[in-house]
Amino acid sequence: MTETDALPSGPMRARAVIDLGALRANVRTLRALAPAAQLMAVVKSDAYGHGAVPCARAALDAGADWLGTATPEEALALRAAGIPGRIMCWLWTPGGPWREAVEADLDVSVSGMWALEEVVAAAREGAGVARIHLKADTGLGRSGCQPGADWDRLVGAALHAETEGLVRVTGLWSHFACADEPGHPSITAQLTRFREMVARAEAMGVRPEVRHLANSPATLTLPESHFDLVRTGIAVYGISPSPEIGTSAELGLRPVMTLTASLALVKHVPGGHGVSYGHRYVTAGDTTLGLVPVGYADGIPRHASGTGPVLVGGKWRTVAGRIAMDQFVVDLGGDEPPAGAEAVLFGPGDGGEPTAEDWARAAGTIAYEIVTRIGSRVPRIHVNALPEQALGGHGGRA
């Protein structure tokens, strides 16, 4: 029995093929880099645009110990789909679904007193013992509790709730600001601050299951930051966190998503013909134009107008003129592929196609944004599912 799901036989306007075999290989690579730590596969934002449920199951199949989401709604959706095991969520606002999260046996992040008070109230109402991770602001300046008196107050209140049997402090954690910039002075400063804040909490009586700081770039380059758990996001999907760290291939990772579209039209035009809104591109001579039926409503960045790369007929082409809401044009230079021919926007790159990093450079952004922004009009086709995934068991497809 093969691991490859059959692709739809009919033509499609566009598709994002998600290689779950590549995802599993990436998880195994990352686990090998942090052998003494547990590994969290972050599947927030629909698994960075790759499909949260099938990617979560593939990550668990490959040995991930935890799953992570930003919002509690994302984590609850995983539970509703039957995903087992430890799931942590961290982006809370007042009035959030604390009771539902506790009842679903999620691990939740607490950055300040308001959040602790709300999760304690949910536990007191009978939801169960809440598993909480106290977050320290070690220098990123987003969520997290400031060191000093604020941290002591939060830790003390959490310990009091723990003695009442309402919470269990399962984690102490923080997040890097510049781990994707090797040698940045904030890295050492945050490591030092994290160790200090963990030591203070433990001196006060906290006995966490896991202490965690490392994100994808830190997992790849900073073994001293691995502690008990590493949180890997973009690297799970085979994309390098930054060019300064290395390419995906250099890091032993394989991009998981391949985005393609079917040419909607190929036509001859004369020289001097304007292309797309504003006529920012005008043909230099007689040529052929190919219409690619995806646009910024599908997540193709408008900032890549005139620069975005596409592989058509084995040749790199560049977006001609502006990317519109639903479509853009490439100048085929006289070549005449048929309507319906494949245009590859990005993939792993080993077939000569552009990568998400190429599109990021073209748009002046980061590859995280390229894959995450691909919209719901583009169907995800998950391939290389394990047999038990195809049957819908643990690790199954959805």
Side-chain angles (χ1 to χ4, degrees):
M1 183 174 183
T2 68
E3 289 188 7
T4 303
D5 304 326
L7 289 171
S9 58
M12 300 179 71
R13 177 185 68 93
R15 69 178 72 183
V17 176
I18 310 300
D19 184 351
L20 297 177
L23 187 147
R24 294 193 301 272
N26 294 334
V27 169
R28 289 191 290 267
T29 295
L30 294 164
R31 282 194 60 84
L33 290 171
Q38 297 179 55
L39 183 136
M40 176 187 292
V42 178
V43 293
K44 65 180 181 178
S45 189
D46 199 29
Y48 291 62
H50 293 69
V53 171
C55 289
R57 287 174 169 159
L60 292 174
D61 283 327
D65 306 283
W66 293 66
L67 299 172
T69 71
T71 70
E73 291 80 8
E74 292 172 325
L76 290 168
L78 293 177
R79 280 285 191 253
I83 302 296
R86 301 297 286 272
I87 304 176
M88 180 185 174
C89 52
W90 48 79
L91 189 58
W92 288 86
T93 52
W98 296 101
R99 183 182 181 94
E100 294 89 338
V102 176
E103 290 174 342
D105 207 25
L106 303 178
D107 283 63
V108 302
S109 179
V110 169
S111 293
M113 289 301 298
W114 75 263
L116 181 63
E117 290 164 0
E118 291 200 6
V119 73
V120 166
R124 201 181 299 279
E125 290 168 3
V129 179
R131 291 206 298 258
I132 65 174
H133 295 230
L134 301 180
K135 186 174 185 183
D137 183 358
T138 57
L140 179 58
R142 298 191 315 195
S143 60
C145 184
Q146 285 286 291
D150 287 349
W151 182 243
D152 285 357
R153 181 173 175 238
L154 181 64
V155 170
L159 285 168
H160 179 73
E162 195 169 62
T163 63
E164 292 187 276
L166 298 171
V167 308
R168 169 79 177 95
V169 182
T170 51
L172 299 171
W173 77 297
S174 189
H175 195 59
F176 277 117
C178 304
D180 56 349
E181 301 177 42
H184 195 283
S186 70
I187 295 172
T188 299
Q190 284 196 258
L191 268 168
T192 299
R193 180 62 55 84
F194 184 65
R195 291 189 179 103
E196 292 171 349
M197 294 180 76
V198 166
R200 176 60 178 164
E202 291 179 340
M204 292 177 68
V206 174
R207 297 294 179 263
E209 293 178 31
V210 287
R211 302 158 299 159
H212 50 112
L213 176 61
N215 53 4
S216 283
T219 301
L220 291 162
T221 65
L222 296 167
E224 65 270 32
S225 73
H226 291 173
F227 295 97
D228 305 307
L229 170 70
V230 295
R231 303 184 308 271
T232 53
I234 197 66
V236 168
Y237 309 99
I239 293 175
S240 170
S242 73
E244 291 78 11
I245 290 176
T247 66
S248 297
E250 289 168 344
L251 297 170
L253 303 172
R254 181 172 176 80
V256 172
M257 181 187 292
T258 297
L259 179 65
T260 65
S262 299
L263 292 182
L265 179 68
V266 176
K267 65 181 179 181
H268 292 268
V269 298
H273 200 296
V275 176
S276 197
Y277 293 125
H279 282 185
R280 297 300 178 91
Y281 183 86
V282 177
T283 59
D286 291 354
T287 191
T288 46
L289 300 178
L291 185 63
V292 183
V294 290
Y296 57 78
D298 301 291
I300 310 305
R302 190 171 182 270
H303 285 312
S305 295
T307 57
V310 184
L311 186 74
V312 181
K315 297 180 183 178
W316 269 45
R317 312 292 184 176
T318 301
V319 174
R322 285 181 175 163
I323 293 171
M325 182 179 288
D326 311 300
Q327 55 200 286
F328 64 84
V329 176
V330 291
D331 190 333
L332 298 171
D335 289 348
E336 300 182 32
E342 185 179 70
V344 185
L345 280 75
F346 60 80
D350 49 10
E353 76 277 10
T355 64
E357 284 92 345
D358 292 318
W359 271 87
R361 284 190 291 271
T365 185
I366 57 176
Y368 297 67
E369 184 178 357
I370 298 300
V371 292
T372 302
R373 68 188 294 163
I374 301 304
S376 59
R377 293 200 308 186
V378 179
R380 272 59 169 178
I381 310 298
H382 294 89
V383 302
N384 290 330
L386 292 172
E388 61 267 29
Q389 292 178 313
L391 294 172
H394 172 66
R397 292 180 63 232

